[in-house]
Coordinates of all heavy atoms in Angstrom, one line a residue:
L25 N -4.6 23.3 -10.7 CA -3.4 23.1 -10.2 C -2.7 21.8 -10.8 O -3.5 20.8 -10.8 CB -3.3 23.1 -8.7 CG -3.5 24.4 -8.0 CD1 -3.4 24.1 -6.5 CD2 -2.5 25.4 -8.4
P26 N -1.5 21.8 -11.2 CA -0.8 20.5 -11.5 C -0.8 19.6 -10.3 O -0.7 20.0 -9.2 CB 0.6 20.9 -12.1 CG 0.7 22.3 -11.8 CD -0.6 22.9 -11.3
R27 N -0.8 18.3 -10.7 CA -0.6 17.3 -9.6 C 0.8 16.7 -9.9 O 1.2 16.5 -11.0 CB -1.6 16.2 -9.7 CG -2.9 16.5 -8.9 CD -4.0 17.2 -9.7 NE -4.3 16.6 -10.9 CZ -4.5 17.4 -12.0 NH1 -4.6 18.6 -12.0 NH2 -4.8 16.8 -13.2
L28 N 1.5 16.2 -8.8 CA 2.8 15.6 -8.9 C 2.8 14.4 -8.0 O 2.4 14.5 -6.8 CB 3.8 16.6 -8.5 CG 5.3 16.1 -8.4 CD1 5.8 15.8 -9.9 CD2 6.2 17.2 -7.8
M29 N 3.2 13.2 -8.5 CA 3.5 12.1 -7.7 C 5.0 12.0 -7.4 O 5.8 12.1 -8.3 CB 3.1 10.8 -8.4 CG 3.2 9.5 -7.6 SD 2.6 8.2 -8.5 CE 3.0 6.8 -7.4
V30 N 5.3 11.8 -6.1 CA 6.7 11.7 -5.7 C 7.0 10.4 -5.1 O 6.1 9.8 -4.4 CB 7.1 12.9 -4.8 CG1 7.0 14.2 -5.5 CG2 6.3 12.9 -3.5
Y31 N 8.2 9.9 -5.2 CA 8.5 8.5 -4.7 C 9.8 8.4 -4.0 O 10.2 7.4 -3.5 CB 8.5 7.5 -5.9 CG 9.4 7.9 -7.0 CD1 10.8 7.7 -6.9 CD2 8.9 8.4 -8.2 CE1 11.6 8.1 -8.0 CE2 9.8 8.8 -9.2 CZ 11.1 8.6 -9.1 OH 11.9 9.0 -10.1
G32 N 10.5 9.5 -3.8 CA 11.9 9.5 -3.2 C 12.1 10.5 -2.2 O 11.3 10.7 -1.2
T33 N 13.1 11.3 -2.3 CA 13.5 12.3 -1.3 C 12.4 13.4 -1.2 O 12.6 14.2 -0.2 CB 14.8 13.0 -1.6 OG1 14.8 13.8 -2.8 CG2 15.9 11.9 -1.8
L34 N 11.5 13.6 -2.0 CA 10.4 14.5 -1.9 C 9.2 14.0 -1.1 O 8.3 14.7 -0.7 CB 9.9 15.0 -3.2 CG 10.8 15.9 -4.0 CD1 10.4 16.0 -5.5 CD2 11.0 17.2 -3.4
K35 N 9.2 12.7 -0.7 CA 8.1 12.2 0.2 C 8.3 12.7 1.6 O 9.3 13.1 2.1 CB 8.2 10.6 0.2 CG 7.9 10.0 -1.1 CD 7.7 8.4 -0.9 CE 8.5 7.7 0.1 NZ 8.4 6.2 -0.1
K36 N 7.1 12.7 2.3 CA 7.1 13.1 3.7 C 8.1 12.4 4.5 O 8.3 11.1 4.4 CB 5.8 12.8 4.4 CG 4.7 13.7 3.9 CD 3.3 13.3 4.5 CE 2.2 14.2 3.9 NZ 0.9 13.8 4.5
G37 N 8.9 13.1 5.3 CA 9.9 12.5 6.2 C 11.3 12.4 5.6 O 12.3 11.9 6.2
Y38 N 11.4 12.8 4.4 CA 12.7 12.7 3.6 C 13.3 14.1 3.3 O 12.6 15.1 3.3 CB 12.6 11.8 2.4 CG 12.3 10.4 2.8 CD1 11.0 9.9 2.8 CD2 13.3 9.5 3.1 CE1 10.7 8.7 3.2 CE2 13.0 8.2 3.6 CZ 11.7 7.8 3.6 OH 11.3 6.6 4.0
G39 N 14.6 14.1 3.0 CA 15.3 15.4 2.9 C 14.8 16.5 2.2 O 14.9 17.6 2.6
N40 N 14.2 16.3 1.0 CA 13.8 17.5 0.2 C 12.3 17.9 0.5 O 11.9 18.9 -0.1 CB 13.9 17.1 -1.3 CG 15.4 17.3 -1.7 OD1 16.1 18.3 -1.3 ND2 15.9 16.3 -2.5
H41 N 11.6 17.1 1.2 CA 10.2 17.3 1.4 C 10.0 18.7 2.0 O 9.2 19.5 1.6 CB 9.5 16.3 2.3 CG 8.1 16.5 2.5 ND1 7.1 16.1 1.6 CD2 7.4 17.1 3.5 CE1 5.9 16.5 2.0 NE2 6.1 17.1 3.2
K42 N 10.7 19.0 3.1 CA 10.4 20.2 3.9 C 10.7 21.5 3.0 O 10.1 22.5 3.2 CB 11.2 20.2 5.2 CG 12.7 20.2 5.0 CD 13.4 20.1 6.4 CE 14.8 19.8 6.2 NZ 15.5 19.4 7.4
Y43 N 11.7 21.3 2.1 CA 12.1 22.5 1.3 C 11.0 22.8 0.2 O 10.8 24.0 -0.2 CB 13.5 22.3 0.6 CG 14.5 22.1 1.7 CD1 15.2 20.9 1.7 CD2 14.9 23.1 2.5 CE1 16.3 20.7 2.6 CE2 16.0 22.9 3.4 CZ 16.6 21.7 3.5 OH 17.6 21.5 4.4
F44 N 10.4 21.8 -0.2 CA 9.5 22.0 -1.4 C 8.0 22.0 -1.0 O 7.2 22.6 -1.6 CB 9.8 21.0 -2.5 CG 11.1 21.3 -3.2 CD1 12.2 20.7 -2.7 CD2 11.2 22.2 -4.2 CE1 13.5 21.0 -3.3 CE2 12.4 22.5 -4.7 CZ 13.5 21.9 -4.4

Side-chain angles (χ1 to χ4, degrees):
L25 290 180
R27 275 93 44 221
L28 178 67
M29 181 173 175
V30 298
Y31 53 78
T33 66
L34 287 166
K35 290 191 328 185
K36 288 180 184 175
Y38 296 94
N40 284 316
H41 181 82
K42 63 185 170 191
Y43 299 114
F44 291 93

